Amino acid sequence: MSLFKARDWWSTILGDKEEFDQGCLCLANVDNSGNGQDKIIVGSFMGYLRIFSPHPAKTGDGAQAEDLLLEVDLRDPVLQVEVGKFVSGTEMLHLAVLHSRKLCVYSVSGTLGNVEHGNQYQMKLMYEHNLQRTACNMTYGSFGGIKGRDLICIQSMDGMLMVFEQESYAFGRFLPGFLLPGPLAYSSRTDSFITVSSCRQVESYKYQVLAFATDADKRQETEQQKLGSGKRLVVDWTLNIGEQALDICIVSFNQSASSVFVLGERNFFCLKDNGQIRFMKKLDWSPSCFLPYCSVSEGTINTLIANHNNMLHIYQDVTLKWATQLPHIPVAVRVGCLHDLKGVIVTLSDDGHLQCSYLGTDPSLFQAPNVESRELNYDELDVEMKELQKVIKDINKSQGVWPMTEREDDLNVSVVVSPNFDSVSQATDVEVGTDLVPSVTVKVTLQNRVILQKAKLSVYVQPPLELTCDQFTFEFMNRNPDGIPRVIQCKFRLPLKLICLPGQPSKTASHKITIDTNKSPVSLLSLFPGFASQSDDDQVNVMGFHFLGGARVTLLASKTSQRYRIQSEQFEDLWLITNELILRLQEYFEKQGVKDFACSFSGSMPLQEYFELIDHHFELRINGEKLEELLSERAVQFRAIQRRLLARFKDKTPAPLQHLDTLLDGTYKQVIALADAVEENQGNLFQSFTRLKSATHLVILLIGLWQKLSADQVAILEAAFLPLQEDTQELGWEETVDAAISHLLKTCLSKSSKEQALNLNSQLNIPKDTSQLKKHITLLCDRLAKGGRLCLSTDAAAPQTMVMPGGCTTIPESDLEERSVEQDSTELFTNRRHLTAETPRPEVSPLQGVSE
């Protein structure tokens, strides 16, 4: 916050919900009054034009009725207002108003009033020009060195400069290499137009070159211009500034020198007439507008620069001379003489806050009270300091800096899932084969004990599950006194029948996994009530599941051993039923009061099929990259053919098309076909990624059961293998997971200081193939099998010697063993398009509520 605030001399709010920009403000003696006092002219995007002449009774007064001289509804949005000598036969000032498709010039005059209502002002249209192209901005000046009148130059949105000699249209020229319009200014000393192109370079064009160049209506292609039809438009000089420009201003030191000021996004530049840099200043904030003007010191320029921090800085060349705080963010700033007060700073915000202010400071009326002097007892202070340090240390050890229980009690989130499906399904536009897609209602309750300013509730479920509404925002009247944002999370389980129906068991399957337990087998009817297709006693150990997408999974419970088998034709379908089985077994034995129930997995890790799924996903990514490159090439070719055809059609002398129309049609068909192929590949990639996530969940689950990992270690595996919610070409699953696993192998699973010294690549780029990733996954499983443990503590970087009971040795460093381990890994799955393969854990969907 600045110590100095802008002194409010006069201010007002314009209209209701109107919008303004940098061209909407102008200060000039628009009514040609004899006292020479400036008037404030403001136009808005709503089409209103207002003229003010502030006369505050005392400093800081708001606008009075008599301050508004004129208010007119022009019906069209006002892009820019300027005042100059725009009417032939007179040197009086007139008002030019730029609309998107029209340029209007008005005369503003006042009539002395004989009653208490004061003077009357009116605005008369002198002439107007209807524009054939959409306007962006304009500038004016004595183009070509004429005396006693001003010409207007309008820049269109497609890069055409249209010059108007007062009541008549002179000519129009297209800027070469144009893409997007930039700010435009006119330098009278060099008779040049200066703009900043989309190439981020300042460009200067001589008026004489513009006047004698090829007319815009007869513009040819660049290649044809080189062959000699007409004079080409040549730039006088250019300067690359490396950023987009917000505004350009021309300021003259004297009759022999002038400067071009350019306000960029992070710098402002002062250039000489020939484009050389006089000086530049790097800004530490984002500017919104600026205004250079002559300084009282000879040879220097003062510059007002406003920024998005509500600050107005005054520079003398590159030296900061003053900083003042404004009540709003200006989009336009001007300096003028109002009511015999010179140097008034007028600012306008985008929402219509118009303020006239001047620089100054407020005297401080605060006086510090006298401090009572006393002698300090340093021994007592030392004892008190030790006690406080002990209290802080105890709190950090016990519960951390924040008391977790109190903080969580401030806002409580609870979720209740309806036990029954909706009578009328909300999934009206979803079709999955012949199956009807059900829906279920979830009730979320928020309870707060403290005053909240704003609470935002976000509900997230993983595909293919969908929500009718996933964002809720609650606004409160009372404001939070401390404004501390807090986050509360709540996870809930959805019913399995939401995506799964009872099905016919299958005796054979391509993929099978067996889960061992330490307790007697439980009847599947008790674990999955409502999913049994038959109620015979000989069928209680077999149960079939039918997913909405068509896939089938069979669950078998052994009658003699403590094992459960899950089998399916698709490997990715195994995870959901396996995870649901383990969760329901745990809940069943918890209700029975059994505390030592445990599940395990003793089979070989099915890495080979898992790697096949990784290869398929990676192949789709590579294919998508090739299709996008080919589509880009065809799009460039299509645009090039269009430009050539357009040049042929505009040519006054007809020429044969030379089969360009046939080539255009063929290229268009190729673009459409490639776009369809890209879209189809993206859909296949999305399904492949969801299948890969389902398989990854299963592999993590099996590793956890295989090595009896704790919940924290399983969380580390999930963070390493499932870091992304979406898969893109810029950041994909393969390179992200490979970096995470490499970090684990380098830190907590490292076996020597040599591995710890390896430097990981800081840039994540799509790899050439998946061999390195598969090698790292195999090596991670092998080191976990030989005693490695996952952790995130700082001690993990220390060299470890992993020793397992039974005499297991550390892992040899040879690459031969890594290849042999990779070859010994066993099966996982293929992929097929269906719903459950896209469903990573739908029964445990996180619900997150954020209050701040």
Side-chain angles (χ1 to χ4, degrees):
M1 176 178 287
S2 172
L3 175 64
F4 310 114
K5 295 183 179 180
R7 303 282 294 176
D8 185 8
W9 182 67
W10 178 88
S11 62
T12 185
I13 302 295
L14 304 179
D16 182 22
K17 296 182 179 179
E18 296 187 40
E19 297 183 10
F20 304 84
D21 205 351
Q22 65 180 8
C24 297
L25 177 65
C26 180
L27 264 68
N29 184 19
V30 66
D31 60 343
N32 300 279
S33 61
N35 55 15
Q37 299 294 321
D38 291 334
K39 313 298 184 300
I40 303 175
I41 304 104
V42 183
S44 73
F45 289 164
M46 296 292 290
Y48 288 96
L49 181 72
R50 300 177 178 90
I51 301 177
F52 292 92
S53 179
H55 293 80
K58 60 180 180 179
T59 300
D61 282 354
Q64 303 297 323
E66 57 270 18
D67 294 340
L68 180 60
L69 304 183
L70 188 64
E71 182 176 16
V72 181
D73 185 5
L74 300 179
R75 306 290 182 180
D76 295 319
V78 177
L79 304 182
Q80 191 172 343
V81 290
E82 298 290 350
V83 175
K85 303 173 183 178
F86 302 134
V87 177
S88 61
T90 177
E91 294 190 6
M92 298 184 66
L93 298 179
H94 289 77
L95 175 63
V97 180
L98 178 65
H99 304 285
S100 58
R101 285 282 184 169
K102 185 168 56 176
L103 172 66
C104 301
V105 175
Y106 300 92
S107 66
V108 179
S109 60
T111 304
L112 294 178
N114 298 323
V115 294
E116 61 181 2
H117 298 297
N119 301 337
Q120 297 179 358
Y121 286 83
Q122 60 182 358
M123 192 167 67
K124 179 182 178 182
L125 178 64
M126 303 302 294
Y127 63 87
E128 70 177 16
H129 294 288
N130 292 318
L131 307 178
Q132 300 299 321
R133 302 177 183 273
T134 303
C136 175
N137 51 24
M138 68 176 176
T139 186
Y140 70 95
S142 54
F143 305 161
I146 61 176
K147 302 296 183 181
R149 57 177 180 159
D150 292 325
L151 278 61
I152 298 177
C153 178
I154 299 176
Q155 180 180 209
S156 67
M157 296 297 293
D158 58 352
M160 180 179 179
L161 296 184
M162 297 172 285
V163 178
F164 295 89
E165 293 184 357
Q166 297 181 340
E167 291 86 350
S168 60
Y169 172 74
F171 58 85
R173 302 289 183 265
F174 279 99
L175 297 178
F178 181 86
L179 181 60
L180 294 173
L184 180 68
Y186 173 72
S187 174
S188 59
R189 204 188 75 82
T190 60
D191 195 23
S192 303
F193 293 101
I194 300 174
T195 184
V196 178
S197 67
S198 54
C199 299
R200 300 184 175 183
Q201 61 183 11
V202 184
E203 300 177 352
S204 175
Y205 297 91
K206 291 285 189 179
Y207 175 76
Q208 296 297 331
V209 176
L210 287 170
F212 289 102
T214 304
D215 191 77
D217 297 331
K218 304 176 183 178
R219 185 180 64 163
Q220 305 289 326
E221 285 295 308
T222 303
E223 292 82 3
Q224 295 183 359
Q225 287 181 356
K226 292 180 179 179
L227 295 178
S229 60
K231 294 185 178 180
R232 297 175 56 239
L233 180 57
V234 180
V235 65
D236 185 28
W237 55 261
T238 61
L239 175 67
N240 194 331
I241 60 174
E243 59 183 318
Q244 297 295 337
L246 303 180
D247 199 1
I248 296 179
C249 288
I250 312 295
V251 178
S252 298
F253 290 100
N254 47 50
Q255 297 296 330
S256 60
S258 64
S259 293
V260 180
F261 282 82
V262 181
L263 179 64
E265 296 171 324
R266 284 293 179 183
N267 303 274
F268 85 91
F269 307 83
C270 177
L271 313 179
K272 297 180 181 179
D273 293 334
N274 57 2
Q276 296 180 356
I277 296 180
R278 190 187 302 274
F279 62 81
M280 65 172 290
K281 174 68 178 179
K282 181 175 178 58
L283 306 177
D284 297 329
W285 23 259
S286 178
S288 60
C289 59
F290 85 138
L291 177 68
Y293 60 95
C294 293
S295 171
V296 294
S297 301
E298 185 177 356
T300 62
I301 294 290
N302 285 358
T303 308
L304 300 175
I305 304 181
N307 60 41
H308 289 275
N309 298 328
N310 294 29
M311 296 293 296
L312 181 66
H313 291 192
I314 295 89
Y315 288 89
Q316 187 177 75
D317 288 347
V318 296
T319 305
L320 179 64
K321 290 296 185 179
W322 197 266
T324 184
Q325 189 177 24
L326 298 172
H328 57 268
I329 300 175
V331 295
V333 58
R334 300 290 186 268
V335 175
C337 177
L338 300 174
H339 196 51
D340 296 329
L341 182 63
K342 297 181 179 180
V344 178
I345 300 175
V346 182
T347 55
L348 174 67
S349 68
D350 60 352
D351 57 354
H353 192 144
L354 179 64
Q355 176 174 314
C356 300
S357 56
Y358 58 93
L359 305 180
T361 59
D362 292 323
S364 176
L365 303 179
F366 173 77
Q367 293 182 355
N370 295 327
V371 180
E372 181 181 356
S373 60
R374 60 177 181 176
E375 296 182 0
L376 299 178
N377 190 331
Y378 292 99
D379 295 334
E380 293 180 359
L381 292 176
D382 191 33
V383 173
E384 183 180 0
M385 177 64 72
K386 290 181 179 179
E387 292 178 354
L388 293 175
Q389 288 177 346
K390 182 180 179 182
V391 172
I392 295 173
K393 186 176 181 181
D394 294 340
I395 292 177
N396 289 335
K397 285 184 177 180
S398 60
Q399 59 184 8
V401 178
W402 289 96
M404 297 299 294
T405 56
E406 296 182 2
R407 181 174 62 173
E408 293 180 356
D409 289 342
D410 291 345
L411 179 63
N412 185 30
V413 182
S414 60
V415 180
V416 176
V417 181
S418 176
N420 301 319
F421 290 153
D422 299 334
S423 57
V424 178
S425 176
Q426 300 297 317
T428 56
D429 56 346
V430 179
E431 295 182 1
V432 184
T434 59
D435 298 324
L436 297 177
V437 179
S439 65
V440 67
T441 301
V442 178
K443 181 181 179 181
V444 183
T445 304
L446 303 180
Q447 295 178 341
N448 61 297
R449 296 184 179 181
V450 296
I451 299 176
L452 301 179
Q453 177 183 353
K454 184 180 181 181
K456 183 178 180 181
L457 177 68
S458 301
V459 187
Y460 173 74
V461 293
Q462 298 192 25
L465 298 181
E466 294 290 341
L467 296 162
T468 55
C469 184
D470 59 350
Q471 297 283 344
F472 303 88
T473 302
F474 307 96
E475 299 284 352
F476 299 93
M477 297 299 296
N478 299 323
R479 298 182 63 84
N480 193 347
D482 52 10
I484 300 175
R486 295 181 178 179
V487 179
I488 303 296
Q489 289 187 351
C490 177
K491 295 183 179 181
F492 61 93
R493 292 174 60 186
L494 295 173
L496 183 61
K497 279 193 173 183
L498 191 62
I499 61 169
C500 184
L501 301 174
Q504 186 68 28
S506 176
K507 295 183 180 179
T508 60
S510 301
H511 303 278
K512 305 175 183 179
I513 58 173
T514 301
I515 303 298
D516 300 326
T517 65
N518 59 351
K519 299 297 178 184
S520 300
V522 182
S523 172
L524 297 183
L525 292 177
S526 301
L527 294 178
F528 297 91
F531 277 90
S533 59
Q534 300 181 14
S535 59
D536 297 339
D537 294 338
D538 58 345
Q539 295 294 329
V540 296
N541 65 330
V542 179
M543 186 169 291
F545 301 89
H546 167 66
F547 291 108
L548 294 182
R552 299 181 182 274
V553 179
T554 302
L555 174 61
L556 302 94
S558 176
K559 295 182 178 180
T560 58
S561 61
Q562 302 169 349
R563 295 182 176 181
Y564 301 86
R565 172 175 291 180
I566 306 94
Q567 59 187 27
S568 176
E569 291 297 330
Q570 301 295 330
F571 181 78
E572 61 267 22
D573 302 331
L574 298 177
W575 169 73
L576 186 60
I577 301 302
T578 304
N579 186 71
E580 189 72 18
L581 171 65
I582 294 175
L583 290 176
R584 298 195 179 203
L585 284 173
Q586 293 173 349
E587 293 176 353
Y588 175 83
F589 285 106
E590 284 179 2
K591 293 180 180 179
Q592 300 295 327
V594 179
K595 298 182 178 179
D596 60 342
F597 171 77
C599 297
S600 61
F601 176 71
S602 57
S604 58
M605 290 301 300
L607 292 181
Q608 188 59 39
E609 288 76 4
Y610 183 49
F611 292 159
E612 292 178 1
L613 189 62
I614 294 176
D615 291 337
H616 178 69
H617 174 263
F618 184 74
E619 180 182 350
L620 289 175
R621 287 188 63 194
I622 296 298
N623 187 39
E625 193 175 46
K626 293 180 180 179
L627 287 174
E628 289 181 359
E629 291 179 358
L630 191 58
L631 178 61
S632 178
E633 293 177 1
R634 291 297 179 269
V636 172
Q637 175 179 318
F638 184 74
R639 289 191 294 269
I641 299 173
Q642 281 184 319
R643 287 194 298 268
R644 290 182 178 272
L645 276 174
L646 185 61
R648 295 287 178 92
F649 292 149
K650 285 187 176 182
D651 195 350
K652 291 185 177 181
T653 303
L657 296 180
Q658 297 178 347
H659 302 289
L660 284 177
D661 54 342
T662 305
L663 184 59
L664 180 69
D665 182 66
T667 306
Y668 173 75
K669 293 180 180 179
Q670 291 181 359
V671 169
I672 296 300
L674 286 173
D676 294 338
V678 169
E679 186 177 3
E680 181 182 0
N681 187 81
Q682 288 176 348
N684 296 334
L685 182 62
F686 174 78
Q687 294 185 7
S688 176
F689 182 56
T690 52
R691 295 189 184 105
L692 178 60
K693 288 195 293 185
S694 298
T696 303
H697 277 291
L698 181 60
V699 170
I700 294 174
L701 178 63
L702 296 181
I703 292 177
L705 298 177
W706 172 45
Q707 291 297 315
K708 297 180 175 57
L709 300 181
S710 64
D712 293 338
Q713 292 175 324
V714 173
I716 294 175
L717 275 182
E718 291 179 346
F721 279 86
L722 297 168
L724 301 175
Q725 293 296 338
E726 295 183 4
D727 190 39
T728 61
Q729 293 290 352
E730 293 77 14
L731 182 62
W733 183 86
E734 286 80 6
E735 56 266 27
T736 309
V737 172
D738 188 35
I741 296 177
S742 300
H743 177 73
L744 293 178
L745 294 175
K746 179 186 174 183
T747 55
C748 59
L749 295 180
S750 64
K751 57 180 173 45
S752 64
S753 58
K754 179 181 178 181
E755 290 186 352
Q756 297 175 14
L758 295 176
N759 293 324
L760 299 179
N761 189 5
S762 60
Q763 294 183 351
L764 296 182
N765 300 319
I766 183 170
K768 296 181 179 179
D769 51 45
T770 59
S771 58
Q772 190 74 14
L773 172 62
K774 293 187 287 188
K775 180 190 296 184
H776 288 162
I777 294 176
T778 306
L779 187 59
L780 180 140
C781 295
D782 191 50
R783 291 193 177 179
L784 287 175
K786 294 185 178 181
R789 282 299 174 259
L790 300 169
C791 63
L792 296 178
S793 63
T794 55
D795 298 335
Q800 300 181 12
T801 302
M802 296 179 282
V803 179
M804 285 289 291
C808 292
T809 59
T810 57
I811 303 174
E813 296 184 4
S814 65
D815 190 41
L816 178 63
E817 180 181 343
E818 294 182 359
R819 289 196 297 269
S820 65
V821 171
E822 182 176 355
Q823 294 172 0
D824 293 340
S825 59
T826 47
E827 57 189 70
L828 214 42
F829 70 104
T830 58
N831 47 56
R832 181 169 58 89
R833 180 174 184 176
H834 54 79
L835 185 67
T836 55
E838 302 176 345
T839 312
R841 196 184 298 177
E843 76 285 358
V844 186
S845 301
L847 171 114
Q848 175 175 311
V850 182
S851 61
E852 50 180 326

